[in-house]
Amino acid sequence: MEKHTNESQSRARYLRLSTHKSKRVLEQIKGKKYNEARLILEFMPYRASKIIIKVLESALNNLEQKQSNKINREKVQIINTFVDKGPILKRFKARAQGRAFPIHKPTCHITIKLKI
């Protein structure tokens, strides 16, 4: 018989967000219950919160796939959240007198781990 673990994770990679701005949002939900974290993210004014909601839902769906029966969402807790730095997209902006200024567009990878 196969043993099911009570943990799951979800990862979103190559997101066009800064790691600093994403981490600010993720620190608010670390260690909270799923329903509470979802409510906090719904009312946050940051762009990163919409993406983090999708990653959180994906982690919950992964957990439901591992379990054979229906999961009580009130018992699901966020164990860990973290952001890794992704590759930086390097672009140039034309400036006066034929000069060019570099523009760095950061990317990040967001990981969320859940448990029952």
Side-chain angles (χ1 to χ4, degrees), residues 10 14 17 27 31 53 60 69 74 91 94 96 99 108 116:
S10 181
Y14 304 105
L17 293 168
E27 288 296 318
I53 286 173
L60 183 72
N69 53 354
E74 293 173 5
R91 304 290 184 259
R99 293 186 173 91
C108 69
I116 297 177

Side-chain angles (χ1 to χ4, degrees), residues 1-84:
M1 189 167 172
E2 188 176 295
K3 183 183 176 189
H4 293 286
T5 60
N6 293 336
E7 295 182 7
S8 75
Q9 77 172 14
S10 181
R11 180 179 293 138
R13 302 180 73 204
Y14 304 105
L15 300 172
R16 272 286 293 117
L17 293 168
S18 166
T19 54
H20 305 290
K21 293 175 185 177
S22 302
K23 189 172 184 173
R24 173 177 61 187
V25 177
L26 285 173
E27 288 296 318
Q28 299 294 318
I29 64 167
K30 186 184 274 188
K32 299 218 180 336
K33 300 279 185 187
Y34 171 80
N35 289 337
E36 186 182 353
R38 178 69 199 259
L39 197 63
I40 289 169
L41 290 171
E42 288 280 338
F43 293 104
M44 277 189 147
Y46 305 116
R47 185 178 135 211
S49 61
K50 287 183 177 56
I51 295 168
I52 292 170
I53 286 173
K54 289 182 182 181
V55 180
L56 186 62
E57 285 178 351
S58 176
L60 183 72
N61 288 333
N62 291 342
L63 192 61
E64 287 177 347
Q65 288 288 320
K66 281 186 176 182
Q67 303 295 320
S68 58
N69 53 354
K70 189 74 174 156
I71 291 176
N72 186 2
R73 292 178 180 217
E74 293 173 5
K75 293 184 178 181
V76 176
Q77 186 173 8
I78 299 169
I79 305 171
N80 200 358
T81 61
F82 54 92
V83 181
D84 296 321

